[in-house]
């Protein structure tokens, strides 16, 4: 088999065989296929697409390019949750201790933030002492002992995806449904879960800019799940504005802790409950979705979810005094308000621009090796469609650099758009696809 023949075949819009796709992934991962040859195949896929069968073969080849985590010793149905990325998305910090408190085992590997989207691993590491890099044996032992472990993605998991993603990023081939679907699902299959719930974000702060694209991506991932014998459910959620009020690592940890204590922003509450009730159903812990939602709310009210979060943090080396007293968490040097300059209604808070702004302040990274400042970010006081008065505070900027603060104030005033007429509130949960 020759790589040049595979390039030629895909260039000419022909369907690749399982053997051809496996050869490409294996040899590229091993370094026997050059980046420029892999780039030619990726560009051909980007331009000519893939059939569902090809996409499944690509997904499975990427999943099997490294370690496949065996969670069978847990002797329970493991349901994995994954978001396609967003701004202010602290859902995993809340949802996973919450479902674990209801007896659903959680074995979660999370990514880091890149570009304008945040990463759960970075948020966990904003808690002093919390270890996201632990051996696999300890990861599984933690789930057996307390029902939950949340770590960063291991280097041995789907190495082909890491290599291909970096290549796609460098040749502007990220936004392509077969390539996105195979990237997400290869990691989920390698992570060892039997069932998968996907939060497919839609809008300005998401990969999928519109609902039609999100539906297509969802159907592709569900089809891959079926062929890989992994039941998959996709929940389409609105990412036009940031989720909740806080954007930034420590700031999102604070919002998550407050949520687990009962202070629940409405949009964040809707996403947590929708994903949670589906996770409970897939885990075989409750068929009735309405009843599942009641169980979730009860475990927030009785603080079982909050104490499960404390147990998780303590078990992974975190200092729980920072959770019990969130005032102890690192604070930015400058915390400055942004005032409303006219009366009206919040028309738009472009989440992509907010994510980029938070990144500029130091909350995100452009390259994987960039350091993150956990304390910086933005906390909004208003959401889209809310009424505002002149001189009312719209948001607070948390910064550790005076020049960046100055720039952020100018940019945030441009991002938050005010209308003189009433603004219609968009739905948070757009659709559930099974």
């Amino acid at each position: 088999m020759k790589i040049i023949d595979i390039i030629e075949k895909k260039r000419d819009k022909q369907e690749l065989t399982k053997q051809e796709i496996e050869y490409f992934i294996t040899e590229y991962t091993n370094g026997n296929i050059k980046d420029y040859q892999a780039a030619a195949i990726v560009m051909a896929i980007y331009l000519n697409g893939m059939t569902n069968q090809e996409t499944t073969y690509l997904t499975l080849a990427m999943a099997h390019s490294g370690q496949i985590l065996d969670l069978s010793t847990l002797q329970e149905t493991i349901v994995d949750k994954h978001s396609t990325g967003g701004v202010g998305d602290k859902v995993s910090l809340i949802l996973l201790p919450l479902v674990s408190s209801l007896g659903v085992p959680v074995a979660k590997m999370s990514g880091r933030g890149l570009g304008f989207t945040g990463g759960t691993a970075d948020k966990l590491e904003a808690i002093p002492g919390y270890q996201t890099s632990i051996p696999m044996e300890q990861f599984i032992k933690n789930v057996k002992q307390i029902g939950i472990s949340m770590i960063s993605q291991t280097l041995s998991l789907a190495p082909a995806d890491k290599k291909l993603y970096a290549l796609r990023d460098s040749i502007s081939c990220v936004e392509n449904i077969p390539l996105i679907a195979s990237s997400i699902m290869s990691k989920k299959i390698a992570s060892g879960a039997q069932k998968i719930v996907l939060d497919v974000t839609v809008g300005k702060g998401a990969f999928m800019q519109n609902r039609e694209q999100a539906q297509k991506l969802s159907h592709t991932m569900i089809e891959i799940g079926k062929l890989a014998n992994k039941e998959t459910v996709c929940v389409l959620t609105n990412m036009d504005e940031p989720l909740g009020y806080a954007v930034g690592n420590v700031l999102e940890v604070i919002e998550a802790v407050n949520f687990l204590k009962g202070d629940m922003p409405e949009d964040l509450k809707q996403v947590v409950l929708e994903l949670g009730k589906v996770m409970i159903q897939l885990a075989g812990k409750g068929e009735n979705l309405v009843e599942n939602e009641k169980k979730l709310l009860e475990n927030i009210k009785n603080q079982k979810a909050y104490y499960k979060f404390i147990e998780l943090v303590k078990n992974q080396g975190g200092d729980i005094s920072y959770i019990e007293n969130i005032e102890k968490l690192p604070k930015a040097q400058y915390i400055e308000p942004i005032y409303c300059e006219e009366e009206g209604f919040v028309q738009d808070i472009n989440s992509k621009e907010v994510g980029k702004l938070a990144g500029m302040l130091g909350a995100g990274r452009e390259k994987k090796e960039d350091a993150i400042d956990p304390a910086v970010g933005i906390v909004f006081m208003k959401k889209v469609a809310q009424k505002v008065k002149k001189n009312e505070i719209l948001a607070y900027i948390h910064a550790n650099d005076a020049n960046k603060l100055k720039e952020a104030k100018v940019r945030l005033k441009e991002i938050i758009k005010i209308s003189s007429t009433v603004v219609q509130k968009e739905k948070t949960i757009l659709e559930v696809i099974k």
Side-chain angles (χ1 to χ4, degrees):
M1 203 173 288
K2 290 181 181 176
I3 191 63
I4 193 76
D5 296 330
I6 298 172
I7 295 170
E8 191 176 299
K9 196 171 173 183
K10 199 67 219 168
R11 180 200 68 193
D12 295 342
K13 303 182 182 179
Q14 294 178 48
E15 190 171 347
L16 299 179
T17 66
K18 182 174 185 277
Q19 292 74 22
E20 286 167 333
I21 289 170
E22 285 175 351
Y23 172 82
F24 163 55
I25 291 299
T26 302
E27 295 303 308
Y28 182 52
T29 307
N30 293 340
N32 298 327
I33 289 172
K34 304 294 182 191
D35 270 346
Y36 62 82
Q37 294 171 313
I41 291 183
V42 169
M43 186 62 79
I45 290 168
Y46 187 89
L47 295 172
N48 298 329
M50 286 185 125
T51 65
N52 277 344
Q53 192 65 69
E54 279 181 298
T55 307
T56 302
Y57 290 148
L58 178 61
T59 305
L60 293 173
M62 289 185 351
H64 288 275
S65 66
Q67 179 187 15
I68 299 279
L69 195 58
D70 181 8
L71 300 177
S72 60
T73 57
L74 296 172
Q75 298 179 328
E76 292 256 19
T77 301
I78 304 296
V79 184
D80 201 353
K81 171 263 169 192
H82 179 80
S83 168
T84 57
V87 178
D89 182 357
K90 69 283 296 176
V91 171
S92 289
L93 298 180
I94 299 161
L95 172 64
L96 300 180
L98 176 53
V99 297
S100 175
S101 74
L102 285 161
V104 176
V106 172
K108 174 68 176 159
M109 288 187 188
S110 296
R112 299 193 178 279
L114 195 61
F116 65 85
T117 62
T120 300
D122 298 320
K123 293 163 196 176
L124 289 168
E125 286 177 358
I127 303 166
Y130 191 102
Q131 299 296 312
T132 62
S133 297
I134 59 174
M136 278 302 105
E137 304 74 37
Q138 188 62 44
F139 176 56
I140 292 169
K141 187 180 174 186
N142 287 355
V143 182
K144 281 181 178 174
Q145 282 181 339
I146 67 163
I148 184 170
S149 187
M150 293 173 69
I151 64 171
S152 57
Q153 194 178 304
T154 158
L155 293 172
S156 59
L157 202 78
D161 174 60
K162 291 183 185 68
K163 208 168 175 186
L164 268 181
Y165 188 91
L167 181 72
R168 284 165 53 207
D169 199 29
S170 69
I171 61 171
S172 196
C173 285
V174 172
E175 287 152 0
N176 172 269
I177 283 171
L179 295 172
I180 292 172
S182 58
S183 175
I184 291 168
M185 293 300 285
S186 65
K187 292 194 285 275
K188 296 299 102 187
I189 291 166
S191 296
Q194 293 98 327
K195 305 199 176 186
I196 301 162
V197 177
L198 296 170
D199 177 3
V200 181
T201 53
V202 186
K204 293 165 189 158
F207 276 128
M208 299 294 105
Q209 296 286 295
N210 60 59
R211 194 159 163 176
E212 292 71 34
Q213 280 182 313
Q215 287 167 333
K216 193 175 176 187
L217 175 63
S218 298
H219 287 300
T220 303
M221 293 191 293
I222 288 166
E223 195 58 37
I224 293 168
K226 280 180 190 167
L227 294 166
N229 201 27
K230 307 272 183 188
E231 187 179 354
T232 303
V233 176
C234 294
V235 179
L236 273 57
T237 63
N238 191 331
M239 193 45 78
D240 272 338
E241 69 175 320
L243 192 59
Y245 290 95
V247 179
N249 296 285
V250 160
L251 302 173
E252 291 185 46
V253 169
I254 290 168
E255 188 167 54
V257 171
N258 286 335
F259 186 108
L260 290 168
K261 286 181 167 181
D263 180 6
M264 300 179 278
E266 185 55 34
D267 57 345
L268 187 54
K269 177 183 174 184
Q270 286 182 39
V271 174
V272 167
L273 293 179
E274 193 65 46
L275 295 169
K277 63 190 184 186
V278 174
M279 284 185 80
I280 293 167
Q281 187 183 59
L282 289 181
K285 303 283 185 183
E287 272 305 306
N288 188 310
L289 292 175
V290 175
E291 287 302 313
N292 291 351
E293 187 169 311
K294 285 180 186 171
K295 290 178 198 171
L296 291 163
L297 288 168
E298 179 59 29
N299 270 26
I300 289 169
K301 189 178 177 183
N302 63 27
Q303 297 219 317
K304 283 184 181 176
Y306 168 69
Y307 287 113
K308 181 58 72 175
F309 183 63
I310 285 191
E311 196 176 11
L312 162 71
V313 171
K314 186 178 181 180
N315 204 41
Q316 291 196 211
D319 185 340
I320 60 169
S321 70
Y322 288 89
I323 305 303
E324 292 169 332
N325 178 12
I326 51 178
E327 287 298 313
K328 282 182 67 177
L329 283 161
K331 289 184 179 64
Q333 187 180 347
Y334 307 102
I335 301 172
E336 292 232 357
I338 295 295
Y339 294 98
C340 188
E341 293 174 354
E342 59 189 305
E343 189 169 323
F345 299 85
V346 181
Q347 182 181 3
D348 186 33
I349 305 173
N350 186 311
S351 50
K352 183 173 185 178
E353 294 305 315
V354 171
K356 284 157 71 173
L357 181 56
M360 183 274 289
L361 287 166
R365 53 171 73 81
E366 284 303 314
K367 303 186 296 296
K368 285 186 177 174
E369 58 271 18
D370 290 348
I372 273 182
D373 183 342
V376 301
I378 303 136
V379 177
F380 292 92
M381 305 308 291
K382 297 289 180 181
K383 300 283 286 179
V384 169
Q386 284 189 321
K387 193 173 193 312
V388 287
K389 296 174 185 172
K390 191 175 179 181
N391 295 324
E392 204 171 357
I393 295 172
L394 296 172
Y396 287 93
I397 297 171
H398 295 241
N400 277 327
D401 180 300
N403 290 329
K404 287 179 179 178
L405 171 65
K406 192 176 176 183
E407 184 185 339
K409 286 167 82 170
V410 173
R411 280 170 60 177
L412 193 56
K413 283 178 183 176
E414 292 169 354
I415 289 167
I416 304 173
K417 294 192 166 33
I418 307 297
S419 166
S420 58
T421 56
V422 174
V423 174
Q424 192 67 37
K425 183 74 177 171
E426 296 285 336
K427 283 187 359 182
T428 301
I429 306 298
L430 304 176
E431 191 175 351
V432 179
I433 304 175
K434 296 182 179 181

